[in-house]
Each structure stands twice: as structure tokens, then as C-alpha cells.
Amino acid sequence: MARRSKEDAEKTRATILETARQLFETQGFSETRVSQIVERAGITKGALFHYFKTKEELFRAVWEKLQGEMDAEARENAISARSRDDPYASFLAGCKTYLHWAARRDYQQIVLIDGPSVLGLSGWYEADDELGRSNVKAGIEHLVNEGIVQERRLPALSVLVHNALNGAGFAMARGEPDVTEASVLDAFEAVLKSLR
Amino acid sequence: MARRSKEDAEKTRATILETARQLFETQGFSETRVSQIVERAGITKGALFHYFKTKEELFRAVWEKLQGEMDAEARENAISARSRDDPYASFLAGCKTYLHWAARRDYQQIVLIDGPSVLGLSGWYEADDELGRSNVKAGIEHLVNEGIVQERRLPALSVLVHNALNGAGFAMARGEPDVTEASVLDAFEAVLKSLR
DNA sequence: TGGTATACATACCGCGGGTATGTTGGGGCC
DNA sequence: GGCCCCAACATACCCGCGGTATGTATACCA
């Protein structure tokens, strides 16, 4: 076999990404063998390493795709929930979306668990900064403009909130007693409301 | 060389743990080679695998030791800060300690970054439950008793708070602008106080 | 004063990520 | 419409690294 059309090539790349995503999700990064991905995708190692220099680079691509999907959804929901009456509405919609994603197995294993370990401390934050965090930050910035939160507390607060939601997603998916999407949102909103 | 006295044996084990801890901290788990640990510790692979069945088991031992140290300090500080006047004092002291640890490189890399990845989703929580989380939970339980927080919000709130502090430690150590121990504690206390 | 289990050392294995080297056909170009 | 270069894969092989099988000397106990 040899060179195929451009559409075929793009399809191959997409297949690799999708297959890797599934295996990374169910087995984790280190337990997933390149040979496994290759087998399931119906290709060879040569093809995989043609598109991705290393296993880590493939992981990064999967990671970025997942994060991108989440980010897009969060932004969309935050925007469409905007209203004059309630400055919290947009912010809450974004957080809700994020919380929802953080409860997904694929997001947990790939983005939250293996992400930091594979991408490294600096690499993870570098990439994470433009995504999840900025979303939360924008929401709190809105609260600052409304005079609900003091401006000097914006950086620290956004960090606190972002990571609070992260962990909540974990706990939820783990099926921890009394930690459900509803109870988390309830507690979260309670804290927010007390800020008024 | 062969069998040494019990003290020697204990010392060897401690040396392995300490050496591994240093390398895991600076290079991460996957980048650290067993041969490296062995070399630095001045022993052989035979010795290492005599004490620890696998590299993962060695990591788990290092992980548990670190967590144990943190937990002991947090409990101690929380207890000694107890006072009748301020129900927050003890809770805050525990959180402060935890935040401090979450800002340490070794704690970050080993417990927060590599921990979940190596121990797995379930394993991590299983072990983490009896440590970091319980500390925070106890603090909030105290607030429940004081009537400051509604009981039904205890589980979700403790999850939120615990992870908020986790992430804050990360951001601090990363040298993020305007995210310092002081600013985080300020924002954290502001949220807590608004709960009253 | 043996005998046994412990505390290591040495030599080796096999898995798995990565690489070096093809091979074939698409498509731009004249 | 022939030509040729390079993309798009396939095949075979390498070697680092975690783990194991085996050896061996000595502390400790009977």
C-alpha cells in the first residue's frame, strides 16, 4: 500500500486519534500500547509514527481535541445564558458545563489524570491556561464588574473555583455518597450567593 | 555481600525510599529509571526489588510517606489552633497547612501529578480519602456544628474546598501573577466569611 | 553449631517504544 | 500524458528498561 488521497489521509489521522482516545480513556496512557492502537485502527506502526512523532505527541493531540470540545461548549453555553437580570446566569452556565465535563470518564482520565503526568507540570498549565481557567476567569471578571467581587481577588478566586469544580467532577464520577451533580451545584451556588 | 543486621536492612530501605523520592520529585515517575535510583543509592536492582515488588509499589510507598507527613502536620496544627472564640481558627489552620504542602514541589509532583496517574482513579481516592480530604471534612463538620454551614452541604462542600486548595498550591508554585499564599488565603477567607 | 531464612548481588529476558528503510501511487508540472 | 518527487503508508529491526531467576554469604535461632 502507498500514498492515498488527501481525504484518506485525513481519515487515517482521525481514526488514529479516535482509537487512541478510546484506549487512553479505558486503560490510561501508560497501560495503552502503541501496538494496541495500531491493531484496532487497522493500520501499522509506520502509519502512526508518520503522523505523530512520539506516543506523547499523540496523547497531546487527543488531549487538545478534548479540551477544545469542552471549551467550545462552555463558551457557547455561557454566551447563550447571558441576561441583564442575573449576572450569575452566564457564569453559572459556564461552570455547569465544566462540571459536566469533569464528570465524564474520558475527560477525567485523559485531561485530569494523565494530562498533568504526561504533559508535565509546566506543559499542562501552559495549555490549560487558555482553556478551562480562562472560562472561569471571564465569569468572575463579570462578577467584579458587577461589584460583587473585589478586583484584587480575581486571580486567586478563579484558581480556587476552577479547581474546586475539577475535583468535584472526580468525586461525582467516583460515585461518592451524597456527591452528585445536583448537590455540588447546590453547594457551589450557596457559596456564590453568599458573596452578594 | 549478603545479609546484614536488621538496622542495616532498615537503613537500606530508608535510603531507597529517600533516593526514589528525590528522583520522583525532580524527574517525575515515568522519567525516573530504576537503574538511576539504584545507582544513586549505592545498591543494586536485586536489593530494590527485594524490598519493593515493582516500581509502582515503590512509588506507592513514597506517596504514602509524603501523605502521612502532611496529614500529621495538618492535624497537629488544626488541634493546636483550636479556640472557643473562633470556630474558623482550627479549620483555617488545617487548610493553611494543606495549602502550604500543595505548594511544595515534591508534594505536587509525587502526590498531585503522578499520584493519580500511577495509582489510578480508584486507588488514588481510596488512599486520599483517609488523608487530605478527611482533614478538610473535619473542619467543615465543625462549621456545621456551629450552624454556619448546612449539614446536607457537607460532602459537596468538602470536595469543593479540598480541591480548590489543591489547585491553588499548584498555581502558587508555578509563580502565577497575583497568586500567592497571601492572596489565596485572603480570597479563601473572604469566601468563608461570607458564609456566616 | 548447624540449618534456615534474610539481605542482598549478578546475569539475563522480553516487552514495548521508537527507527531505519523500503515501496507505491497521487498530483503538480511542463 | 509522461515524469518525478514526495506524501502515505508498510516491514523489519533495535535497544533501553522493568522485571526475574538464580546465586551466595551471613545474621539469627534452635
Side-chain angles (χ1 to χ4, degrees), chain B residues 3-4 9 12 44 47 50-51:
Chain B
R3 193 189 187 197
R4 335 285 174 73
T12 302
T44 62
H50 171 68
Y51 289 102

Side-chain angles (χ1 to χ4, degrees), chain B residues 84-153:
Chain B
R84 299 268 164 191
D85 319 342
D86 190 0
Y88 285 101
S90 172
F91 176 52
L92 250 183
C95 289
K96 229 169 185 166
T97 309
Y98 189 64
L99 184 62
H100 212 79
W101 278 75
R104 285 174 50 164
R105 280 242 180 280
D106 54 352
Y107 193 81
Q108 280 174 42
Q109 187 65 48
I110 295 169
V111 175
L112 302 178
I113 296 185
D114 284 334
S117 160
V118 176
L119 303 180
L121 184 55
S122 57
W124 188 62
Y125 267 104
E126 190 190 315
D128 196 51
D129 239 14
E130 340 164 10
L131 297 169
R133 261 279 306 293
S134 68
N135 235 319
V136 173
K137 204 164 187 174
I140 300 189
E141 222 150 31
H142 201 245
L143 299 186
V144 169
N145 293 336
E146 301 284 330
I148 295 165
V149 168
Q150 290 187 39
E151 188 172 5
R152 60 176 237 271
R153 290 190 174 131

